[in-house]
Amino acid sequence: MATYQEFIQQNEDRDGVRFSWNLWPSSRLEATRLVVPVSCLFTPLKERPDLPPVQYEPVLCSRANCKAVLNPLCQVDYRAKIWACNFCFQRNPTYNNSHICRRTTYIPRGPPNPLIFLYVVDTCLEEEDLQALKESLQMSLSLLPPNALVGLITFGRMVQVHELSCEGIAKSYVFRGTKELSSKQIQEMLGLTNPSASGPQGRPAAPQDPAVTCRFLQPVHKVDMNLTDLLGELQRDPWPVPQGKRPLRSTGIALSIAVGLLEGTFPNTGARVMMFMGGPPTQGPGMVVGDELKTPIRSWHDITKDNARHLKKATKYYDALANRAAVNGHSIDIYACALDQTGLLEMKCLSNLTGGHIAMGDSFNTSLFKQTFQRVFSKDHNGEFRMAFGGTLEVSTSRELKVSGAIGPCVSLNAKGPCISENEVGVGGTTQWKICSLSPSTTLVLYFEVVNQHNAPIPQGGRGAVQFVTQYQHSNTQRRIRVTTVARNWADAQSQIQHIESSFDQEASAVIMARLGVFRAESEEGPDVLRWLDRQLIRLCQKFGQFNKDDPTSFKLSESLSLYPQFMFHLRRSPFLQVFNNSPDECSYYRHHFVCQNLTQSLIMIQPILYSYSFHGPPEPVLLDSGSILPDRILLMDTFFQLVIYHGETIAQWRKAGYQEQPEYENFKHLLVAPVDDAQEILQTRFPMPRYIDTEHGGSQARFLLSKVNPSQTHNNLYSWGQETGAPILTDDVSLQVFMDHLKKLAVSSAT
């Protein structure tokens, strides 16, 4: 018989689903007492090479307000050719012997949609940076499919929309960077409306109209040479920048034109706006900071004191653009490379709501940017892009369950139905969400509410079911529908509480609660979010801990919950909830990636992985603790965003003395190389590419490691420790031990 751990792993591998609880309490009252809601992590496009798509439409339930898809949990009468829907129990007369399994990808008939890439390029860059960016963009053209459509908008003080159909002559439409334009005005100015249409304003031309697509969005195979030359000839913004001033950068208008252009030519079609910027927007709608260098860009201190004068207006402006793009299935990537902040705090919704990427670096002329950008175009085992466009997710549930909401790179489609909960969590009030851009690692969290009443027991052996229907445009231009149907058993929490406890997935639950915390942190004060997380943890420990009242030493958690408190400890210290030492832009960047990554990567972000290298054997995972920092060890720490190689004091001295160059110390040379080789493996596959940091005892960048490890030894308790047991950390943060002691005390207290 499989353990719950094996069951959880098998279900994730097969369905791309991880539930917080794998036995569900059979009443609303008991579900609320579990503290962690019935919820799941869902990866819609989890790769399954063993499940090729089938070439027909899914079979739908005939009831108008159900429309669930035929799946293996339905009862099928093969002789009578009738199947009963497992969500609404409707008996459906038509059944065509379709192939059915828990996770099926369908290819319905329909016209193919083109892939569309619109580059929006900042020209207010240093010469070296601009040259590197131009080379990266030229390289990307060679990675696009020949029939993909591509367009180019450049911006500085003015915004230029480039015509790509002009042979031998560069022609562009120039817009002022300070004047806000409506979508209709943009389309009229670009000649995208049909003047012969009725009404004074005309109407947008049809998406497939070649007269439209040939001017601004052209197939790569037609304009490859032209566009390569055009990019190569791009010059820095010609407007002079006086001493003590920032360049005038019209980012807001450039994005508005990009969104308006796609709205007018390809509404409701998957498309990707890729924006590259080397500094903050400094003029026009969406400006984040003025052009005076003596006025610094807003900090957390300014925001707290309500001293960030452009913040609210800029955020509102970009939020409106993001929603317009999302409605049409257009995603927006932001590639921001600068030494100072660039306005990601205000602009984050552009990518957060549309499933776009955010990449952040110091310069476009670094391998960090170049390789991250190249990985956007990575391909799967069939040689096709690992990206999908214009997706929608629809969730159906059995009657005892309702959908509270979702947290991830999505927006609500406001689809009403019988399985919507009144208690909204995240983006709620709907059963359908738009996900404009998806990759195989894109993961949403779905929150559910058990609505079955306490006095109406579910029959023994009953199962609750959830169906996820993801429709999307595949990178080969086909429309696809992926259907995933899962079920879990109901259990009576009065008599089967230990079984429910054993079914707890602590890793999934840590990520699920962390997403909820990060979602709340966007609208609530940091300390309030931490207090809320602490209360939830204390309640969970009170519910499932074994203890004698008012005796902290008697407190124990079962194996299925034993790691959960330490995940919460590291989450509290993470950049997702702690803004100290991180700029507003950095926090936005970290949170963006946290709310769209899969479980494995999310756990690394919450609790980084630490490996120790020594002469005594192969590398081994060690505790993320200051006690692991030893003089004769090399440590490799993976935080997802950084890869840190840390050389202990003795190792650093030997390296400085050059022992690795001497033949008799070849084993030392191998020891130095081992963590570098392991780091390279991670660097070659991770998206976005992590920052690589090589440091040593006493080095300034050792702070990246010291700020993450559990400070079990600090300058305050140093003398109570023996020698050579680790490195003391200069911090006032509490250690995991102190945190656990407080948690036990509060959990067993009669007063709480």
Side-chain angles (χ1 to χ4, degrees):
M1 187 179 165
T3 63
Y4 266 113
Q5 203 49 52
E6 289 165 343
F7 172 81
I8 287 165
Q9 195 57 57
Q10 284 164 6
N11 277 270
E12 183 182 17
D13 294 342
R14 186 186 63 207
D15 303 327
V17 176
R18 289 275 291 255
F19 273 96
S20 51
W21 304 94
N22 289 285
L23 264 184
W24 295 343
S26 55
S27 76
R28 174 185 287 186
L29 182 64
E30 293 299 344
T32 56
R33 288 176 178 166
L34 294 185
V35 185
V36 176
V38 172
S39 42
C40 72
L41 288 142
F42 175 55
T43 308
L45 299 192
K46 185 174 175 66
E47 290 179 308
R48 284 286 307 273
D50 59 319
L51 267 189
V54 294
Q55 303 277 341
Y56 50 77
E57 302 267 356
V59 179
L60 304 182
C61 173
S62 57
R63 179 167 288 183
N65 66 351
C66 177
K67 299 291 183 190
V69 177
L70 172 63
N71 62 80
L73 305 176
C74 298
Q75 289 187 327
V76 181
D77 184 336
Y78 289 93
R79 291 174 66 183
K81 292 197 172 180
I82 287 174
W83 62 278
C85 174
N86 60 317
F87 292 97
C88 70
F89 307 110
Q90 170 83 5
R91 290 171 68 79
N92 297 284
T94 54
Y95 174 66
N96 63 357
N97 293 320
S98 298
H99 161 81
I100 48 172
C101 64
R102 284 174 184 269
R103 193 178 183 98
T104 308
T105 304
Y106 301 89
I107 304 179
R109 282 194 293 274
N113 286 314
L115 297 189
I116 304 162
F117 297 88
L118 179 54
Y119 296 153
V120 181
V121 181
D122 176 6
T123 55
C124 298
L125 303 175
E126 293 298 325
E127 197 59 60
E128 187 185 303
D129 245 22
L130 183 60
Q131 186 57 37
L133 177 55
K134 291 192 308 192
E135 287 169 10
S136 287
L137 294 174
Q138 287 169 328
M139 172 277 301
S140 71
L141 291 180
S142 66
L143 300 175
L144 295 177
N147 58 350
L149 300 181
V150 64
L152 176 66
I153 295 173
T154 55
F155 67 95
R157 186 171 183 167
M158 301 291 188
V159 180
Q160 290 181 275
V161 184
H162 296 265
E163 268 201 24
L164 301 181
S165 57
C166 303
E167 288 283 344
I169 180 170
K171 186 177 175 186
S172 60
Y173 287 64
V174 182
F175 293 79
R176 280 219 317 271
T178 51
K179 189 178 180 191
E180 191 166 351
L181 299 166
S182 70
S183 182
K184 193 174 276 186
Q185 286 173 313
I186 290 165
Q187 287 159 27
E188 282 173 0
M189 288 175 173
L190 293 174
L192 301 180
T193 49
N194 186 343
S196 63
S198 57
Q201 298 297 329
R203 61 174 176 78
Q208 272 71 37
D209 186 344
V212 170
T213 57
C214 72
R215 300 232 310 285
F216 304 110
L217 296 162
Q218 281 239 311
V220 172
H221 68 87
K222 280 191 180 176
V223 293
D224 193 5
M225 298 295 289
N226 264 7
L227 187 50
T228 301
D229 292 344
L230 181 57
L231 288 168
E233 289 160 13
L234 277 185
Q235 301 293 314
R236 287 180 65 195
D237 191 54
W239 296 88
V241 181
Q243 191 76 27
K245 300 270 190 177
R246 293 184 178 91
L248 291 172
R249 194 179 266 109
S250 314
T251 317
I253 291 295
L255 278 167
S256 171
I257 291 168
V259 170
L261 169 61
L262 288 173
E263 273 176 336
T265 52
F266 287 93
N268 303 310
T269 305
R272 187 162 219 122
V273 174
M274 308 179 97
M275 189 186 64
F276 306 86
M277 62 178 186
T282 50
Q283 75 162 5
M287 72 183 282
V288 166
V289 66
D291 66 343
E292 291 280 351
L293 275 171
K294 65 183 182 190
T295 311
I297 193 167
R298 43 89 198 112
S299 63
W300 281 122
H301 181 72
D302 296 326
I303 293 166
T304 309
K305 299 287 182 197
D306 203 19
N307 199 21
R309 56 181 290 219
H310 302 291
L311 176 67
K312 285 178 183 159
K313 196 174 175 185
T315 303
K316 187 179 175 185
Y317 177 78
Y318 291 117
D319 198 52
L321 279 183
N323 278 292
R324 274 171 55 197
V327 163
N328 281 293
H330 304 149
S331 71
I332 301 175
D333 297 346
I334 302 173
Y335 303 91
C337 288
L339 291 169
D340 197 2
Q341 296 184 79
T342 55
L344 283 183
L345 174 69
E346 291 81 356
M347 302 167 86
K348 65 191 175 193
C349 53
L350 293 167
S351 300
N352 289 353
L353 300 185
T354 67
H357 301 307
I358 295 182
M360 193 174 159
D362 296 338
S363 161
F364 289 111
N365 195 23
T366 58
S367 62
L368 188 75
F369 164 72
K370 290 175 183 176
Q371 293 194 40
T372 294
F373 182 51
Q374 199 166 341
R375 270 169 218 176
V376 172
F377 305 98
S378 68
K379 296 186 173 170
D380 63 14
H381 59 284
N382 290 324
E384 292 169 335
F385 282 153
R386 283 194 164 95
M387 61 170 93
F389 299 81
T392 59
L393 171 66
E394 182 173 4
V395 177
S396 302
T397 61
S398 48
R399 290 174 176 179
E400 309 86 358
L401 210 58
K402 289 198 174 180
V403 186
S404 296
I407 295 179
C410 60
V411 290
S412 168
L413 282 174
N414 295 311
K416 302 305 173 193
C419 59
I420 297 174
S421 167
E422 291 173 7
N423 298 321
E424 287 190 28
V425 179
V427 181
T430 182
T431 55
Q432 292 179 25
W433 296 264
K434 190 95 176 172
I435 315 167
C436 301
S437 177
L438 289 143
S439 76
S441 64
T442 302
T443 301
L444 285 85
V445 173
L446 281 303
Y447 297 86
F448 303 97
E449 183 186 17
V450 177
V451 292
N452 199 54
Q453 292 306 316
H454 199 59
N455 55 5
I458 294 168
Q460 189 72 29
R463 304 181 90 195
V466 179
Q467 186 172 81
F468 307 94
V469 178
T470 311
Q471 303 195 38
Y472 61 96
Q473 179 187 327
H474 191 272
S475 63
N476 67 7
T477 73
Q478 289 172 340
R479 210 56 216 160
R480 291 195 177 179
I481 303 170
R482 180 173 274 194
V483 180
T484 305
T485 312
V486 296
R488 295 293 185 271
N489 289 338
W490 295 106
D492 175 22
Q494 300 292 320
S495 59
Q496 294 178 284
I497 191 66
Q498 283 184 319
H499 290 298
I500 293 174
E501 183 181 346
S502 303
S503 80
F504 184 66
D505 183 342
Q506 54 193 333
E507 292 181 340
S509 298
V511 176
I512 284 163
M513 294 302 276
R515 282 238 189 148
L516 205 41
V518 168
F519 184 83
R520 293 175 76 125
E522 291 293 337
S523 56
E524 296 177 29
E525 293 292 323
D528 293 344
V529 177
L530 292 177
R531 275 193 290 274
W532 172 80
L533 269 175
D534 289 344
R535 277 198 308 274
Q536 304 306 307
L537 178 59
I538 292 163
R539 284 180 57 212
L540 190 74
C541 289
Q542 286 172 331
K543 173 76 178 171
F544 292 104
Q546 297 172 352
F547 54 87
N548 301 323
K549 274 281 181 204
D550 298 317
D551 179 6
T553 58
S554 67
F555 182 87
K556 272 198 195 109
L557 277 175
S558 68
E559 196 181 338
S560 60
L561 288 104
S562 59
L563 297 175
Y564 187 78
Q566 81 181 42
F567 287 136
M568 292 297 108
F569 168 76
H570 288 291
L571 174 65
R572 292 174 95 266
R573 305 180 76 222
S574 73
F576 312 118
L577 300 180
Q578 293 288 354
V579 299
F580 176 73
N581 239 353
N582 291 298
S583 69
D585 277 13
E586 284 172 320
C587 278
S588 300
Y589 171 69
Y590 293 141
R591 287 174 181 175
H592 164 82
H593 285 286
F594 184 71
V595 297
C596 60
Q597 278 293 346
N598 62 25
L599 179 128
T600 306
Q601 308 296 0
S602 299
L603 279 179
I604 293 172
M605 293 185 210
I606 293 172
Q607 183 173 321
I609 298 172
L610 193 62
Y611 293 97
S612 177
Y613 296 76
S614 72
F615 292 112
H616 309 306
E620 53 180 0
V622 290
L623 292 173
L624 188 66
D625 191 285
S626 57
S628 300
I629 303 172
L630 299 169
D632 62 344
R633 298 282 195 279
I634 303 174
L635 297 176
L636 170 61
M637 182 177 71
D638 179 5
T639 73
F640 182 84
F641 299 105
Q642 297 112 9
L643 281 176
V644 183
I645 295 179
Y646 173 91
H647 300 85
E649 190 173 5
T650 309
I651 299 280
Q653 288 166 356
W654 290 349
R655 184 170 69 154
K656 208 168 275 179
Y659 286 172
Q660 67 276 17
E661 309 299 336
Q662 299 173 27
E664 62 268 35
Y665 292 106
E666 197 169 342
N667 61 341
F668 179 55
K669 184 179 179 179
H670 290 319
L671 180 65
L672 290 177
V673 168
V676 176
D677 288 347
D678 290 348
Q680 285 303 324
E681 270 188 52
I682 299 169
L683 284 168
Q684 280 165 17
T685 54
R686 175 84 41 89
F687 180 87
M689 187 178 174
R691 191 178 289 271
Y692 178 70
I693 298 159
D694 186 308
T695 188
E696 60 184 31
H697 173 81
S700 66
Q701 292 192 308
R703 69 185 187 277
F704 286 100
L705 172 71
L706 301 180
S707 65
K708 293 288 183 187
V709 294
N710 165 36
S712 57
Q713 298 143 272
T714 69
H715 58 295
N716 293 325
N717 64 8
L718 178 61
Y719 298 106
S720 63
W721 289 81
Q723 293 299 303
E724 299 296 309
T725 53
I729 309 290
L730 295 168
T731 181
D732 291 325
D733 281 2
V734 300
S735 67
L736 178 59
Q737 185 60 50
V738 172
F739 177 79
M740 287 303 296
D741 288 346
H742 278 284
L743 175 62
K744 289 173 184 176
K745 199 171 172 182
L746 290 164
V748 305
S749 168
S750 314
T752 53

